Amino acid sequence: MWRAAAILLLAALIPASSTTAIAAAPPPRRIVSVNPCADALLRELARPEQIVAISRLSHDPRAASVPANWASRYPGVGIRAEELLDLDADLVLGGPFVPRETARMARRLGIPLHTLPAPATIAATRQQITDLARLLGNPQRGAALIARIDKAVAAARPPIGAAPVTALIRQQSGMVAGPNTLADDMLAHAGFVNHARHWQLQPWDLLSVEKLAASPPQLLLTPDGRPPHPALAGHVVTRRFPMRLLWCGGSTIIDAMAALASARQSL
C-alpha cells in the first residue's frame, strides 16, 4: 500500500503536461476527504468503494453540499492530523486551507494530499473536474459531469438580444459575491451584471443596507427571498438563492444556474 501511495504522491507533483506519468499511476483505493466541496466532487467522480470517509461538515445540513442520504453512508472526519492515523488512506483530499500539522502528518505517513482550490470561474471548475477525475482513475465520470454542467449553463443563457439585468447576491451577514468569484461568473453566464462591481467591492465583501438602498440592483438574491431590511420592500425585486450554492463548484453549478435562470424568468 505504501508503495502505491508513494507513486501517487509523485504523480500529484508531476506537471499537468506529463500526462503519461499520471496515467501510469494506479488509482487510489482508499480516499479520505476533509473538505465539504471535495465531498461534492467525490460523490460525482469516485466509485463508492473508493471512499473511506468524508468531511464531518457534510453531515451538517446547514453546511453540506451533498444530499444527506449520501453523506450518511460514510463516517465524517475533521481536519485534525490525528484523525488520519487509523483510516489507512492512500489519498487525502483537502480544500484551499489545510492545517500545517495535517499536511505534515500526511507526508510522514506517505499519504498524498491533494488540495482543491476554490475555482473562480466555470472554466476553472471544468478543468478541476477533469484533473481530479483523472487522478481518481475515473475520467469518464468527469466527462459526464462536465456535460451536465455545460447543459445547465446553456439552458440558463438569456434569449439573444435580451438586455442585461443588474443583480446582487447578498448573504444575511451582509457579505456579497463580488468580482473574481464563481458566483460572479455564473451571474454573467445567466445574463446578469454583478451589481457588486458598482461599488468596486472585493471578491467577498460586506455591503451595508444603506449603500444597497442608495443604489439597488434590478434583482436582489438573498437566502430567504426577502430584502435584508423592511425599508427595501417594494423598492427592489428580491428572489431566493440558496447560499449552499455559493461555496463549491462541481454539481452545485447545475442547481445554481437553474436558480439564476428561474429568477431571471420571474422578472
Side-chain angles (χ1 to χ4, degrees):
M1 192 273 287
W2 299 117
R3 185 172 180 270
I7 295 173
L8 269 175
L9 178 59
L10 289 173
L13 295 175
I14 294 173
S17 59
S18 301
T19 54
T20 302
I22 292 176
R29 294 179 298 171
R30 295 182 60 81
I31 306 169
V32 172
S33 167
V34 296
N35 178 269
C37 291
D39 295 342
L41 287 174
L42 269 187
R43 176 174 173 259
E44 300 285 347
L45 303 180
R47 300 187 303 278
E49 64 272 16
Q50 288 181 289
I51 305 172
V52 174
I54 62 174
S55 167
R56 188 175 293 123
L57 290 174
S58 287
H59 286 189
D60 182 350
R62 296 168 299 177
S65 295
V66 294
N69 62 350
W70 181 85
S72 64
R73 302 176 193 172
Y74 306 100
V77 296
I79 57 177
R80 293 186 300 121
E82 294 80 5
E83 297 185 74
L84 300 179
L85 285 173
D86 299 325
L87 295 173
D88 193 28
D90 56 10
L91 177 66
V92 174
L93 293 180
F97 307 104
V98 176
R100 292 181 181 177
E101 181 54 37
T102 301
R104 281 197 294 266
M105 175 71 77
R107 286 196 298 269
R108 191 158 59 245
L109 296 175
I111 305 172
L113 172 63
H114 186 80
T115 56
L116 297 167
T121 63
I122 293 174
T125 299
R126 294 172 88 259
Q127 187 61 55
Q128 185 178 76
I129 291 169
T130 298
D131 294 342
L132 182 58
R134 185 186 301 124
L135 178 64
L136 301 186
N138 305 314
Q140 72 286 351
R141 289 177 177 252
L145 177 55
I146 288 172
R148 288 167 53 208
I149 290 173
D150 289 347
K151 182 179 179 180
V153 171
R157 290 193 187 104
I160 296 175
V165 175
T166 59
L168 186 72
I169 300 177
R170 187 181 191 272
Q171 302 176 60
Q172 289 174 330
S173 63
M175 188 172 289
V176 299
N180 302 315
T181 62
L182 181 59
D184 179 70
D185 193 48
M186 291 192 295
L187 282 169
H189 278 85
F192 294 105
V193 174
N194 190 352
H195 203 50
R197 296 176 180 273
H198 173 75
W199 294 282
Q200 298 180 336
L201 298 179
Q202 297 299 312
W204 290 102
D205 216 340
L206 292 173
L207 180 68
S208 68
V209 171
E210 292 76 14
K211 284 187 176 181
L212 180 60
S215 179
Q218 292 171 274
L219 176 67
L220 178 64
L221 298 163
T222 65
D224 56 9
R226 296 197 295 267
H229 193 278
L232 288 171
H235 295 282
V236 58
V237 176
T238 309
R239 295 288 183 268
R240 181 175 177 270
F241 186 84
M243 292 298 111
R244 67 175 181 83
L245 303 179
L246 278 178
W247 309 122
C248 304
S251 60
T252 56
I253 292 176
I254 298 170
D255 292 338
M257 296 307 297
L260 291 175
S262 177
R264 198 180 201 283
Q265 291 165 6
S266 73
L267 299 178

